C-alpha cells in the first residue's frame, strides 16, 4: 500500500545501452579514476579540478565557506573576470576561430561567423558604451530582453567585463513580464532589439520595451535608458516610436566607441555574475543569483566532462539563451573551453522539420543538445527526416523534462543514427549546471533515467518525514542534494528568507548549524532511485495527481500515453471528481495528418490501464492541436488544469504560445457543457490546489 507521502511508481525497468566504443576512445572522461577523485571523501577539494580550468587573477584561500549557511560561498579570496575567461584568454592561441556561428531563421540569409577576435572587439566597444553612455558601474543590474541573436552574448560579456550583473529575460516573454523583472532587479537600463524572425514572421520586439518600461513604472521603478540593437544598422524593424532622451539605437551610439578597449574588472569569486528569473504561480518571480567563480568553474567542468567538448568540436545547443540552459551551455561553458558554439535564431521546424539536420550537415555539428519538447516536435513532424541528411553526432543531450523512453529511443536510433551517446541531464535554473546525468563514456545509458548524481553531487531521496527512501525500493519521494556544489545559486535577489524557506527549510536538521551536512537542498522534484543508483525524475512534486489515495506522477501517465503510435505529446491534469476525489484528464496532440477519433481516445485509455492500472484510467481524453508551453518547452499543466476545472487559468504572459489557451478552453469547456459535465462550484481550497498544480517554470 502506498502512503500519502509517496508517489506510486509503476514504471518498468528499461535496459542499459552502452556508449559506442568510438566515443569512449576519445572521451574527456574515460578513466574511471575520475569517479574516485570526486567521491565524497574528496569533497569539497575535488572541485579544484573544475576551478583549474579557469584563469584566476588571484587564487582562493577557502574552497568552501559555510559560515553563513545555507548561503554557501566557493573559492573565497579568489578573483577573476568571466569575460576574460571566455573571450580574452583565447585570443593568443585562436583569434580566428569562430566563437559563435549564428544561423538566422530565414534560410536564404547568410550565416554569421564571429571569431574570438571579433567577439573581443564587439564586447569591448559595447562595454565602453554601457560604462560611459549608460553610466553603469560594477554591481549594477542591467536587464536584457533579447531574442537569439549574437548581440545577446555580446551584451552578456560586456556586462561581465565590467562586473555588472546581467539579467536576461526570455525574448518571447511579454513586455509586462519583462517590466516586473526590471523593477525587481532595479535595472536602470533595458537592452532590447527592434525585431527578429520567429516562424517566418518578423516580430516587432521594441513595442514590448515600451510596455516593460510602463509596467516597471507601475511598480514604482523608473528606467533611464532603453538601448535598442538593430541587426541592420540604419534600418528600424519596429513600428514603435523612439522616445527622445530615453531610447537609443546601439549602432548609432557605438560610432563613438569604435576600437575602444575596456579593462576587465577583477571580481571576487562570489560576486554575482547574473540573475536568471524563474517563476511559480504565486508571489514575485525569483531572481536566482549566480556567482562568478563557482558558476563558471562548474559550467566549464561539466561542459568538459558531460558535454565532452573538445577544442575542435562543433557544438550546437539548440535552446534559448533566455533559459538557464542557454546561459550555461551555449555561452559560458563552451566559451570557457574555447570551443565553437552554434546559435540558431528560429524555431526547429521552420521552414520544415528537416531544418535542424540541414544545419547539422552543413556546419559539421558533432555535439547536439536540446529538450524533449523539441525532440517530440521533430519526431511528430518529420520522423524520417534525419536519415536524409549526412551529419554524424558523437554526443547528444536531452534536458528540461523527463523524456519518455519511447521518445528517447527515437532520439537515439533516428536522430543519433545509433552512433551517438546520450546524456539525460537533470537540473534547474537554481543549480547553474547539471545535477544528475551519466558520465557518457563511463556509465551506460538507461532510457528515461537521468543516471546517478554528477561528479561531486550526492543526491538522496527523502519521504515527507525526512526518512531516506532506499534505492531499489520502487518508491518515489523528494529528490534532494545532500551537499553544496560550486554552481548552486547564491540567493534569490532581494528575498533571502524565501531562499532558505523554499530550498532548505524542509529538510534542515538544525537551523543554527554551519555544517553543510545539516542542510540538504530540496529540489521540488519527485524521483525514484533504482537499485543501480540511477534516478528517474517524475516531475515537480506539485504535479502529482491523487486518485482515491493513489498518488500518480503526471510523467508516468504521459509516458504510457505516448506509447500510442498516433500520439505526439501528452499532458495529464487532475479534475475534481465526486467519487474519487480527483480523476485524471489526459490532453494529447497527434502526429500530423491524423484526425481526432474515438478510437485514438480509447487506445490512450487502454495504454494507461495496461501500463499503470485501472485506477489511473482517464475520465476524458482531450485531443488538442497543441499544448500551452513555457520558454523551455515545458507543458504548463496548471493552465490546462484550470481549463479542465473551469477555474482561472492564471498568468499566461510567460507562455511561448499564449494563443493556444483560448482555443483549448473553447474546445474543452463547450464540449463539457454539451455533455452536462460542468463541475459544481469549487471550494477556495480546491481552487488553490488547482492553481498550485504544476507550477513548473
Ligand atoms: C535546466 C532546466 C527545472 C525543472 C526541474 C525538473 C525539470 C529538467 C530534467 C527535468 C527530468 C531532466 N527537468 N531537466 N526533469 N529530466 N533531464 O530545465 O531548468 O527551467 O529551471 O526547470 O525541469 O522538474 O525541476 P528549469
Amino acid at each position: 500500500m502506498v502512503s500519502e507521502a509517496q508517489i506510486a511508481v509503476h514504471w518498468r525497468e528499461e535496459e542499459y545501452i552502452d556508449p559506442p566504443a568510438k566515443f569512449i576512445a576519445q572521451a574527456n572522461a574515460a578513466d574511471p579514476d575520475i569517479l574516485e577523485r570526486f567521491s565524497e571523501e574528496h569533497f569539497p577539494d575535488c572541485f579544484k579540478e573544475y576551478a583549474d580550468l579557469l584563469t584566476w587573477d588571484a587564487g582562493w584561500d577557502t574552497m568552501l565557506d559555510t559560515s553563513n549557511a545555507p548561503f554557501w560561498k566557493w573559492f573565497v579570496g579568489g578573483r577573476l573576470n568571466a569575460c576574460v575567461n571566455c573571450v580574452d584568454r583565447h585570443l593568443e592561441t585562436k583569434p580566428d576561430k569562430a566563437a559563435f556561428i549564428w544561423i538566422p531563421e530565414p534560410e536564404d540569409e547568410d550565416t554569421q561567423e564571429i571569431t574570438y577576435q571579433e567577439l573581443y572587439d564587439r564586447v569591448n566597444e559595447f562595454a565602453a558604451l554601457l560604462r560611459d553612455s549608460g553610466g553603469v558601474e560594477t554591481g549594477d543590474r542591467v536587464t536584457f530582453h533579447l531574442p537569439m541573436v549574437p548581440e545577446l552574448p555580446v551584451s552578456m560579456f560586456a556586462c561581465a567585463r565590467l562586473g555588472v550583473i546581467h539579467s536576461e529575460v526570455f525574448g518571447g516573454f511579454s513586455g509586462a513580464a519583462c517590466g516586473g523583472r526590471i523593477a525587481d532587479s532595479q535595472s536602470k537600463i533595458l537592452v532590447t532589439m527592434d525585431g527578429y524572425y520567429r516562424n517566418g514572421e518578423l516580430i516587432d520586439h521594441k513595442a514590448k520595451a515600451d510596455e516593460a518600461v510602463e509596467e516597471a513604472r507601475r511598480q514604482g521603478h523608473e528606467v533611464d535608458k532603453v538601448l535598442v540593437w538593430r541587426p541592420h544598422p540604419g534600418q528600424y524593424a519596429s513600428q514603435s516610436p523612439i522616445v527622445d532622451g530615453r531610447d537609443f539605437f546601439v549602432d548609432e551610439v557605438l560610432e563613438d566607441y569604435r576600437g575602444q578597449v575596456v579593462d576587465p574588472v577583477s571580481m571576487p569569486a562570489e560576486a554575482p555574475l547574473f540573475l536568471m528569473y524563474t517563476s511559480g504561480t504565486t508571489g514575485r518571480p525569483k531572481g536566482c543569483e549566480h556567482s562568478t567563480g563557482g558558476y563558471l568553474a562548474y559550467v566549464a567542468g561539466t561542459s568538459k566532462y558531460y558535454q565532452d567538448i573538445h577544442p575542435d568540436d562543433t557544438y550546437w545547443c539548440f535552446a534559448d539563451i533566455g533559459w538557464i540552459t542557454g546561459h550555461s551551455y551555449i555561452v559560458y561553458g563552451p566559451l570557457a573551453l574555447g570551443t565553437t558554439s552554434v546559435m540558431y535564431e528560429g524555431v526547429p521546424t521552420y521552414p520544415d522539420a528537416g531544418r535542424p539536420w540541414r544545419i547539422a550537415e552543413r556546419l559539421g555539428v558533432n555535439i547536439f543538445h536540446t529538450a524533449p519538447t523539441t525532440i517530440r516536435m521533430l519526431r511528430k513532424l518529420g520522423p524520417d527526416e534525419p536519415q536524409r541528411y549526412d551529419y554524424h553526432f558523437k554526443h547528444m543531450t536531452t534536458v528540461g523534462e523527463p523524456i519518455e523512453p519511447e521518445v528517447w529511443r527515437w532520439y537515439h536510433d533516428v536522430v543519433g543514427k545509433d552512433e551517438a551517446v546520450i546524456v539525460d541531464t537533470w537540473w534547474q535554473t537554481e543549480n547553474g549546471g547539471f545535477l544528475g546525468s551519466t558520465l557518457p563514456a563511463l556509465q551506460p545509458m538507461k532510457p528515461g533515467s537521468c543516471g546517478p548524481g554528477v561528479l561531486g553531487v550526492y543526491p538522496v531521496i527523502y519521504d515527507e518525514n525526512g526518512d531516506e527512501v532506499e534505492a531499489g525500493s520502487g518508491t518515489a519521494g523528494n529528490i534532494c542534494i545532500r551537499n553544496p556544489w560550486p554552481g548552486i545559486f547564491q540567493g534569490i535577489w532581494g528575498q533571502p528568507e524565501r531562499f532558505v524557506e523554499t530550498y532548505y527549510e524542509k529538510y534542515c536538521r538544525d537551523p543554527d548549524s554551519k555544517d553543510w551536512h545539516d542542510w540538504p537542498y530540496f529540489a521540488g522534484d519527485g524521483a525514484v532511485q533504482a537499485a543501480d543508483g540511477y534516478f528517474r525524475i517524475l516531475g515537480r512534486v506539485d504535479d502529482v495527481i491523487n486518485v482515491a489515495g493513489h498518488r500518480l506522477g503526471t510523467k508516468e501517465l504521459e509516458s504510457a500515453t505516448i506509447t500510442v503510435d498516433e500520439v505526439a505529446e501528452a499532458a495529464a491534469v487532475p479534475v475534481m471528481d465526486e467519487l474519487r476525489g480527483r480523476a485524471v484528464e489526459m490532453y494529447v496532440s497527434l502526429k500530423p495528418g491524423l484526425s481526432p477519433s474515438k478510437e485514438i481516445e480509447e487506445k490512450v485509455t487502454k495504454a494507461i490501464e495496461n501500463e499503470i492500472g485501472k485506477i489511473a484510467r482517464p475520465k476524458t481524453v482531450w485531443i488538442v492541436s497543441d499544448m500551452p508551453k513555457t520558454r523551455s518547452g515545458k507543458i504548463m499543466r496548471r493552465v490546462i488544469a484550470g481549463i479542465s476545472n473551469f477555474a482561472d487559468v492564471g498568468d499566461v504572459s510567460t507562455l511561448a504560445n499564449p494563443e493556444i489557451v483560448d482555443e483549448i478552453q473553447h474546445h474543452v469547456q463547450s464540449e463539457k457543457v454539451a455533455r452536462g459535465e460542468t463541475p459544481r462550484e469549487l471550494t477556495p481550497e480546491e481552487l488553490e490546489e488547482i492553481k498550485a498544480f504544476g507550477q513548473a517554470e
Side-chain angles (χ1 to χ4, degrees):
M1 186 56 195
V2 189
S3 86
E4 258 297 270
Q6 299 163 332
I7 305 166
V9 179
H10 312 84
W11 253 318
R12 62 167 183 272
E13 271 293 286
E14 300 284 335
E15 314 239 300
Y16 289 124
I17 297 170
D18 287 323
K22 204 169 148 197
F23 178 83
I24 299 174
Q26 58 82 65
N28 281 332
D31 181 349
D33 214 37
I34 195 168
L35 296 165
E36 163 58 23
R37 294 204 301 277
F38 279 85
S39 66
E40 204 168 336
E41 71 186 281
H42 300 298
F43 180 87
D45 296 332
C46 52
F47 282 113
K48 177 175 185 303
E49 203 164 318
Y50 282 7
D52 283 347
L53 295 170
L54 305 180
T55 303
W56 296 78
D57 303 329
W60 60 89
D61 25 66
T62 311
M63 174 72 68
L64 171 62
D65 174 359
T66 63
S67 59
N68 187 24
F71 297 86
W72 317 120
K73 289 194 168 72
W74 284 86
F75 310 121
V76 181
R79 298 187 83 93
L80 76 168
N81 182 279
C83 176
V84 168
N85 272 281
C86 294
V87 187
D88 302 35
R89 67 173 178 152
H90 304 311
L91 292 184
E92 207 170 303
T93 50
K94 46 186 142 192
D96 301 326
K97 182 184 166 88
F100 291 106
I101 299 179
W102 181 70
I103 302 132
E105 191 189 71
E107 215 162 1
D108 53 1
E109 268 186 34
D110 290 341
T111 293
Q112 282 180 29
E113 266 200 40
I114 299 155
T115 64
Y116 275 96
Q117 182 66 52
E118 282 165 33
L119 182 61
Y120 175 81
D121 296 342
R122 293 182 65 177
V123 164
N124 272 282
E125 289 173 354
F126 191 59
L129 183 156
L130 276 177
R131 184 188 59 190
D132 298 344
S133 287
V136 296
E137 290 172 15
T138 300
D140 286 352
R141 279 78 55 210
V142 169
T143 297
F144 309 153
H145 195 199
L146 290 169
M148 280 294 284
V149 289
E151 287 75 11
L152 174 49
V154 166
S155 305
M156 291 163 73
F157 288 131
C159 284
R161 196 166 190 83
L162 299 168
V164 164
I165 303 166
H166 60 74
S167 169
E168 153 71 359
V169 177
F170 173 56
F173 280 178
S174 66
C178 178
R181 287 152 174 78
I182 291 174
D184 190 81
S185 62
Q186 304 276 295
S187 300
K188 291 279 179 208
I189 295 194
L190 169 63
V191 180
T192 188
M193 185 101 193
D194 56 348
Y196 65 99
Y197 279 97
R198 191 93 201 144
N199 215 4
E201 222 184 294
L202 182 63
I203 310 266
D204 184 337
H205 191 62
K206 162 65 171 56
K208 289 185 179 174
D210 302 329
E211 291 161 26
V213 171
E214 226 9 83
E215 176 61 25
R217 181 171 300 142
R218 216 183 50 78
Q219 299 189 20
H221 177 77
E222 239 4 90
V223 172
D224 289 346
K225 286 195 170 75
V226 178
L227 304 179
V228 187
W229 284 102
R230 294 186 296 189
H232 304 290
Q235 291 174 36
Y236 185 43
S238 165
Q239 301 297 318
S240 118
I242 287 298
V243 177
D244 234 16
R246 187 199 75 183
D247 300 352
F248 299 89
F249 290 128
V250 175
D251 55 283
E252 287 177 4
V253 189
L254 266 183
E255 287 309 318
D256 297 338
Y257 297 95
R258 292 291 173 215
Q260 289 208 13
V261 171
V262 169
D263 282 340
V265 180
S266 187
M267 299 298 290
E270 67 273 23
L273 176 61
F274 66 86
L275 304 181
M276 171 63 66
Y277 279 88
T278 177
S279 54
T281 42
T282 49
R284 279 155 71 187
K286 296 177 278 190
C288 298
E289 192 186 314
H290 285 284
S291 74
T292 307
Y295 171 81
L296 201 62
Y298 198 68
V299 295
T302 48
S303 293
K304 178 166 178 185
Y305 294 128
Y306 286 91
Q307 296 295 288
D308 199 54
I309 293 177
H310 294 58
D312 292 327
D313 287 324
T314 302
Y315 167 84
W316 182 15
C317 172
F318 191 176
D320 199 290
I321 297 176
W323 178 27
I324 189 69
T325 295
H327 273 50
S328 300
Y329 297 111
I330 297 177
V331 181
Y332 284 113
L335 267 71
L337 297 180
T339 196
T340 298
S341 183
V342 174
M343 276 178 74
Y344 171 54
E345 176 181 36
V347 301
T349 51
Y350 185 84
D352 58 68
R355 184 70 188 278
W357 323 128
R358 281 199 290 286
I359 293 172
E361 178 185 82
R362 180 161 59 87
L363 302 181
V365 171
N366 66 339
I367 307 182
F368 185 69
H369 183 155
T370 198
T373 180
T374 304
I375 303 169
R376 283 187 218 110
M377 191 191 301
L378 292 165
R379 171 177 175 260
K380 169 175 166 178
L381 297 176
D384 305 319
E385 284 296 304
Q387 68 210 41
R388 299 183 46 215
Y389 298 94
D390 184 23
Y391 66 81
H392 295 277
F393 297 150
K394 68 165 184 178
H395 180 292
M396 304 194 301
T397 301
T398 165
V399 58
E401 277 182 281
I403 185 166
E404 300 85 352
E406 206 64 23
V407 177
W408 192 100
R409 282 190 203 95
W410 181 78
Y411 195 38
H412 180 264
D413 300 353
V414 181
V415 176
K417 305 180 177 182
D418 250 330
E419 53 189 19
V421 78
I422 295 183
V423 289
D424 179 347
T425 59
W426 166 71
W427 60 295
Q428 313 170 300
T429 302
E430 294 86 337
N431 310 147
F434 307 146
L435 291 183
S437 170
T438 50
L439 200 48
L442 294 172
Q443 293 160 333
M445 303 166 252
K446 195 158 80 173
S449 296
C450 66
V454 297
L455 294 169
V457 165
Y458 320 119
V460 62
I461 297 181
Y462 290 127
D463 65 16
E464 283 300 312
N465 308 321
D467 292 325
E468 201 169 322
V469 178
E470 257 173 72
S473 65
T475 307
N478 297 316
I479 187 165
C480 296
I481 310 297
R482 289 195 289 109
N483 64 306
W485 63 97
I488 180 69
F489 70 140
Q490 299 199 298
I492 303 176
W493 188 258
Q495 306 180 70
E497 307 79 24
R498 193 171 175 198
F499 171 77
V500 180
E501 228 172 75
T502 312
Y503 302 98
Y504 292 99
E505 210 164 79
K506 191 170 172 85
Y507 291 118
C508 175
R509 294 196 190 94
D510 170 11
D512 296 322
S513 172
K514 307 288 174 215
D515 180 350
W516 61 260
H517 293 87
D518 292 324
W519 293 93
Y521 169 82
F522 172 66
D525 280 333
V528 59
Q529 189 178 26
D532 59 13
Y534 280 33
F535 293 94
R536 190 157 191 167
I537 307 295
L538 300 164
R540 309 291 305 163
V541 285
D542 48 33
D543 270 356
V544 168
I545 304 175
N546 189 331
V547 179
H550 292 253
R551 288 162 63 85
L552 302 168
T554 48
K555 204 65 222 171
E556 279 195 315
L557 293 155
E558 292 157 11
S559 278
T561 303
I562 214 149
T563 60
V564 175
D565 250 357
E566 290 86 345
V567 173
E569 281 196 299
V573 297
V575 279
M576 298 302 161
D577 184 269
E578 294 314 319
L579 229 56
R580 291 175 286 181
R582 308 285 173 273
V584 174
E585 284 198 355
M586 282 311 301
Y587 283 70
V588 301
S589 70
L590 304 180
K591 291 179 183 161
L594 300 173
S595 323
S597 69
K598 265 262 148 317
E599 198 194 330
I600 298 176
E601 292 173 19
E602 273 155 25
K603 276 194 191 174
V604 168
T605 304
K606 271 259 139 346
I608 292 175
E609 283 183 1
N610 286 343
E611 305 260 327
I612 302 175
K614 282 226 159 38
I615 183 77
R617 186 177 217 282
K619 187 166 179 175
T620 317
V621 176
W622 299 106
I623 299 178
V624 294
S625 63
D626 200 3
M627 310 280 178
K629 287 184 192 148
T630 67
R631 61 178 158 175
S632 54
K634 294 183 178 55
I635 297 174
M636 273 226 168
R637 297 185 184 81
R638 70 161 170 86
V639 171
I640 310 178
I643 293 173
S644 267
N645 291 281
F646 287 74
D648 183 13
V649 295
D651 180 14
V652 295
S653 69
T654 55
L655 285 186
N657 55 348
E659 67 288 345
I660 197 73
V661 178
D662 281 346
E663 186 188 317
I664 304 180
Q665 186 156 25
H666 179 76
H667 166 183
V668 170
Q669 295 186 347
S670 54
E671 182 71 31
K672 284 194 179 210
V673 170
R675 294 188 198 166
E677 284 177 13
T678 336
R680 62 169 166 77
E681 211 168 305
L682 303 186
T683 65
E685 291 75 37
E686 288 169 338
L687 281 172
E688 209 35 59
E689 180 192 319
I690 293 298
K691 207 165 125 197
F693 179 76
Q695 291 190 35
E697 186 342 38

